[in-house]
Amino acid sequence: MDFLFPHEEYRKIQGAFMHQVYNVIKNKGQLLVHAPTGTGKTSSVLSPALTYVLKENKSKVIFFLTSRSTQHLIAVETLKKIKEKFNTSIVVVDLISKKNMCNQPGVLELKQGEFIEYCKEVRENGNCQYYSKLKQKGKPSLEALNTLKKLKEQSPMHVEEVNQINFNAELCSYELATILGKEAHVIIADYNYILSPHIRSSLFKRIEKSLSDCIIIFDEGHNVPIRARDLMTNNLNSMIVEGAAKETKTLGYNEMARDLMAIKEILEKLIKKIPLTKNEVLITKEEFYKAVEEIGNFEEMANNFTFVGEQILEKQKRSFTQSVANFMHAWIGPDNGFARIITRNFGKSGKPYITLSYRCLDPSLIVKDLVQESHSLIFMSGTLTPLEMYSDLLGVDQEKIIQIEYQNPFPQENRLNIVVPETSTKYTQRNSLMYENIAKKCSEITEAIPGNSIIFFPSYYVLNEVNKYFQKICSKTIFIEDSELNKEQRGDMLERFKKYKTEGAILLGVAGGSFAEGIDLPGDLLKGVIVVGLPLAKPDLETQELINYYDKRFGKGWDYGYTIPALIKTMQSAGRCIRSENDRGIVVFMDERYVWQNYKKCFSPDMNIKIEKNPVPMIKEFFNK
């Protein structure tokens, strides 16, 4: 089969990957593929998928789904190269959130829920010039038709290029994108466009598609379980209930306001279940449900809140009452695959508040529709191991699923992987002496690396504690990741960091954070990565319930719910170092637990791990070769 491959030639591993993808799509199958960094996953999956659509079945649409905006750009550039090389017409829609595609001034300052209501209001009142110019007498206007023609001719384009064209034409980017989506061969979008039933339904109605028309590709597929669980999790806190009571009272619904204040009192009674030594406790569906029933009918009350919430949303961008209604409708959902938890919290000012949560433990509950109805389904990642775990968690069809694990294609002599078993970030061992020791080890290692290094920590807290000592003894420039940084600020920091490739700088980040995944620093831009500690989940009730649930279902609760997710974050962080076959660099795993069998077993044999308490001579020798 001649694939629409964007480059002059492909490596053996890419050839095998492409044939496998093509066969899976042709046979309406499902694929889980672990393909390490440098395999060329984007080209290797889009080329056969596009070949199938253009040559075999033009009624199908490829959904290339990512969790990060940087992956959008890579996919668009790949498709541009295919179009140029093969002189073929490809209709591509690069879809991000409606808010981020909006050209109205100031909308980026709004929260997502606030934007949705703002958008609805300005459209219905005829105050959005971008939307008003779209149609004339119920049909696309001449401006819209001309712009659609231009977008189609110039496709593939990155969303920012599309937005500029639409801004100049004074037309709504999101609306035009969905119109173009009816003809699209490829739609590049965030996971939520397919994972969220509500968002998916809205999009499919616009582009006139169903799941059976879709070839779905999840890039960085290891992120799907947590995203799926988050989408099915609902929270309610006492501040929202209080806000809802004020809203309803303002509108004259005094009885409803009293009901809401009574619900707040219920939360305050339930919080007394929590021992003074803890901050959270499990709660049953019936405990909250029966307490509300003593005020009035639970379902009727939830419906009344929905009714009033909709009225509020007609006048303002956000409704607390609607949030209460949504939570109550969710609360009466199933028990299996969920945990109900009540938590005592404190705001930034120290003011206490109560949170009641209905937390999803089972991602397959939301993925099952895709498994059952899509034309074909592909999950790929450089850290999709063990494949058996993802097969279990995602609930794929065991008769249709194909699982493949490709080995790292890069020369082993170009990478040095070391475990330094001298320190630990275990809770029981965290103290100033340990933080100082970690800082000293990190300083010695980064001084021996001729170029840029990144140090990843298990949390911002550990990062800050170690940095108190590290900044005093490190001679190189230090950059520090901050959870408050926006996309532009993170991008600016990364560009400044790159400029130090000769003299060497150090970026302090967090495993699982913005710099641990989805960034490329090839060639001389990054020479070393240190992963400090194990980024284990907080040992809270949700983690314990995950372990219990996965133990009952698969007999692997500890692995699936605790240790393996931490190792995946570790490997994602480590993967920032070697990005191409010519890169040379080192990765240091700094924690005594990395030599324990239950963690050590997760390292691939081809990593050729060295265990060394004093790694500096080994590092200097590696870079002097």
Side-chain angles (χ1 to χ4, degrees):
M1 170 59 80
D2 293 325
F3 297 117
L4 298 170
F5 191 69
H7 310 294
E8 285 306 310
E9 55 184 37
Y10 49 80
R11 295 190 294 270
K12 186 178 179 180
I13 192 172
Q14 290 177 307
F17 192 169
M18 287 191 287
H19 277 95
Q20 192 64 69
V21 169
Y22 187 85
N23 289 332
V24 163
I25 294 172
K26 190 171 184 178
N27 295 318
K28 300 182 180 181
Q30 296 161 17
L31 176 65
L32 288 175
V33 57
H34 167 80
T37 300
T39 309
K41 290 187 286 291
T42 305
S43 297
S44 299
V45 76
L46 281 175
S47 299
L50 193 58
T51 302
Y52 175 82
V53 168
L54 293 180
K55 295 184 179 180
E56 301 270 350
N57 200 334
K58 290 187 177 179
S59 68
K60 303 303 177 190
V61 58
I62 300 162
F63 269 89
F64 186 84
L65 305 168
T66 82
S67 60
R68 294 180 183 268
S69 56
T70 49
Q71 296 305 112
H72 284 242
L73 185 58
I74 294 169
V76 170
E77 291 303 312
T78 299
L79 293 164
K80 280 183 178 181
K81 289 174 183 175
I82 291 174
K83 177 184 180 180
E84 184 179 340
K85 181 178 177 181
F86 295 95
N87 193 28
T88 185
S89 176
I90 308 171
V91 180
V92 177
V93 172
D94 185 10
L95 200 59
I96 57 175
S97 72
K98 193 174 185 179
K99 184 179 85 170
N100 285 301
M101 294 180 78
C102 181
N103 283 317
Q104 287 284 3
V107 294
L108 292 178
E109 304 303 316
L110 299 177
K111 292 180 180 178
Q112 186 60 30
E114 293 171 342
F115 168 77
I116 291 169
E117 296 314 315
Y118 165 79
C119 177
K120 180 182 176 184
E121 181 187 344
V122 294
R123 279 188 288 116
E124 290 178 352
N125 294 334
N127 293 329
C128 179
Q129 73 271 32
Y130 302 106
Y131 184 78
S132 300
K133 286 183 67 178
L134 274 171
K135 291 184 179 180
Q136 202 168 23
K137 295 180 180 179
K139 294 183 179 180
S141 65
L142 184 62
E143 292 99 324
L145 290 172
N146 287 336
T147 305
L148 280 168
K149 184 182 178 184
K150 187 175 183 180
L151 293 174
K152 193 173 174 181
E153 287 172 352
Q154 295 187 25
S155 182
M157 283 189 289
H158 190 257
V159 68
E160 290 175 0
E161 299 172 288
V162 173
N163 282 358
Q164 189 59 53
I165 290 172
N166 293 328
F167 177 74
N168 293 336
E170 290 192 319
L171 293 166
C172 175
S173 286
Y174 181 81
E175 293 290 335
L176 282 179
T178 56
I179 294 171
L180 193 61
K182 296 174 185 177
E183 301 178 63
H185 301 114
V186 183
I187 296 176
I188 303 164
D190 182 82
Y191 291 168
N192 285 6
Y193 276 103
I194 290 294
L195 283 180
S196 167
H198 173 71
I199 298 173
R200 182 174 72 234
S201 175
S202 174
L203 178 63
F204 280 6
K205 187 176 180 180
R206 288 168 172 270
I207 66 173
E208 299 173 358
K209 298 290 182 184
S210 65
L211 274 174
S212 60
D213 299 313
C214 299
I215 296 163
I216 300 172
I217 301 164
F218 282 99
D219 189 31
E220 303 295 348
H222 62 276
N223 288 314
V224 174
I226 185 66
R227 183 72 77 89
R229 286 177 43 223
D230 285 346
L231 279 169
M232 294 191 72
T233 291
N234 281 273
N235 299 301
L236 178 70
N237 69 53
S238 52
M239 293 186 292
I240 288 174
V241 179
E242 201 172 317
K246 290 177 183 176
E247 278 181 351
T248 50
K249 191 172 183 179
T250 302
L251 287 175
Y253 293 102
N254 293 326
E255 187 179 342
M256 208 172 288
R258 285 194 294 271
D259 288 343
L260 284 158
M261 288 309 293
I263 289 175
K264 183 170 180 274
E265 288 175 12
I266 289 169
L267 295 180
E268 289 167 350
K269 286 178 183 176
L270 290 172
I271 201 72
K272 292 176 182 177
K273 285 171 58 74
I274 303 176
L276 291 174
T277 55
K278 295 184 179 180
N279 286 321
E280 57 182 355
V281 71
L282 290 173
I283 189 170
T284 65
K285 180 197 298 185
E286 288 72 24
E287 283 177 281
F288 180 62
Y289 184 88
K290 287 179 180 177
V292 174
E293 282 277 304
E294 290 178 10
I295 308 167
N297 183 275
F298 189 100
E299 285 88 346
E300 186 179 322
M301 202 179 294
N303 289 333
N304 288 340
F305 293 157
T306 298
F307 173 74
V308 174
E310 287 172 352
Q311 288 185 43
I312 294 166
L313 290 173
E314 288 176 5
K315 298 178 181 179
Q316 59 192 51
K317 293 169 182 172
R318 185 180 180 186
S319 167
F320 293 111
T321 312
Q322 185 69 54
S323 298
V324 176
N326 292 342
F327 178 82
M328 289 178 71
H329 287 304
W331 183 260
I332 55 177
D335 290 328
N336 190 38
F338 291 85
R340 291 176 170 84
I341 300 171
I342 190 163
T343 310
R344 184 191 296 115
N345 307 101
F346 295 91
K348 289 182 179 178
S349 63
K351 183 181 177 181
Y353 66 95
I354 304 159
T355 301
L356 189 60
S357 301
Y358 178 57
R359 302 187 192 178
C360 180
L361 307 173
D362 189 346
S364 71
L365 295 172
I366 207 168
V367 178
K368 64 182 179 183
D369 289 346
L370 315 185
V371 171
Q372 293 167 2
E373 298 177 35
S374 64
H375 175 86
S376 48
L377 187 58
I378 297 169
F379 298 90
M380 64 178 193
S381 171
T383 50
L384 206 65
T385 55
L387 289 165
E388 179 191 5
M389 181 182 83
Y390 286 97
S391 178
D392 285 342
L393 297 187
L394 296 167
V396 293
D397 188 330
Q398 296 300 329
E399 292 183 6
K400 287 185 176 181
I401 191 69
I402 293 174
Q403 302 179 39
I404 296 177
E405 183 173 347
Y406 292 111
Q407 295 302 307
N408 194 310
F410 300 145
Q412 286 193 22
E413 61 270 21
N414 283 1
R415 50 198 169 101
L416 176 62
N417 297 302
I418 310 170
V419 167
V420 178
E422 283 268 274
T423 62
S424 179
T425 58
K426 282 179 69 177
Y427 286 99
T428 54
Q429 295 186 33
R430 291 184 181 182
N431 55 52
S432 57
L433 191 62
M434 181 59 76
Y435 294 137
E436 186 176 8
N437 194 16
I438 291 171
K440 184 183 175 187
K441 286 282 180 186
C442 287
S443 176
E444 290 171 355
I445 291 167
T446 52
E447 288 293 334
I449 295 172
N452 285 338
S453 307
I454 301 182
I455 307 174
F456 290 106
F457 296 88
S459 67
Y460 288 103
Y461 175 80
V462 175
L463 184 159
N464 291 326
E465 290 301 306
V466 172
N467 190 42
K468 289 176 183 177
Y469 304 96
F470 185 72
Q471 63 186 350
K472 295 175 183 176
I473 56 177
C474 177
S475 65
K476 295 183 176 180
T477 301
I478 300 173
F479 293 85
I480 302 175
E481 179 182 353
D482 186 329
S483 60
E484 300 297 320
L485 295 179
N486 61 33
K487 178 184 169 185
E488 288 73 24
Q489 289 169 327
R490 291 195 302 269
D492 177 62
M493 180 185 285
L494 200 60
E495 289 306 310
R496 287 186 286 119
F497 176 68
K498 289 177 182 178
K499 292 176 181 177
Y500 283 84
K501 67 176 185 178
T502 304
E503 61 267 45
I506 299 157
L507 172 60
L508 306 184
V510 173
S514 301
F515 296 111
E517 188 174 334
I519 64 164
D520 261 335
L521 295 166
D524 292 333
L525 294 175
L526 184 65
K527 288 294 188 180
V529 166
I530 303 174
V531 183
V532 172
L534 270 159
L536 291 161
K538 189 178 178 182
D540 55 17
L541 271 179
E542 182 177 10
T543 301
Q544 189 56 56
E545 287 300 295
L546 268 178
I547 292 169
N548 294 342
Y549 182 72
Y550 293 153
D551 222 26
K552 287 176 186 174
R553 282 204 66 191
F554 311 114
K556 296 181 179 178
W558 194 257
D559 283 349
Y560 286 12
Y562 196 59
T563 58
I564 294 176
L567 263 295
I568 288 166
K569 284 185 180 179
T570 292
M571 293 308 175
Q572 278 294 322
S573 301
R576 297 314 94 207
C577 191
I578 305 290
R579 308 299 292 176
S580 76
E581 57 192 332
N582 297 318
D583 290 358
R584 295 186 80 246
I586 68 151
V587 178
V588 175
F589 302 95
M590 192 180 293
D591 197 291
E592 64 183 19
R593 288 170 291 179
Y594 284 117
V595 297
W596 296 1
Q597 186 54 36
N598 55 333
Y599 296 110
K600 190 179 178 182
K601 68 181 181 183
C602 297
F603 289 123
S604 172
D606 72 346
M607 289 183 71
N608 194 23
I609 296 283
K610 310 287 186 186
I611 299 172
E612 180 58 61
K613 290 185 177 182
N614 180 21
V616 172
M618 190 181 288
I619 292 168
K620 288 182 176 178
E621 183 185 352
F622 173 82
F623 283 114
N624 286 332
K625 282 183 181 177

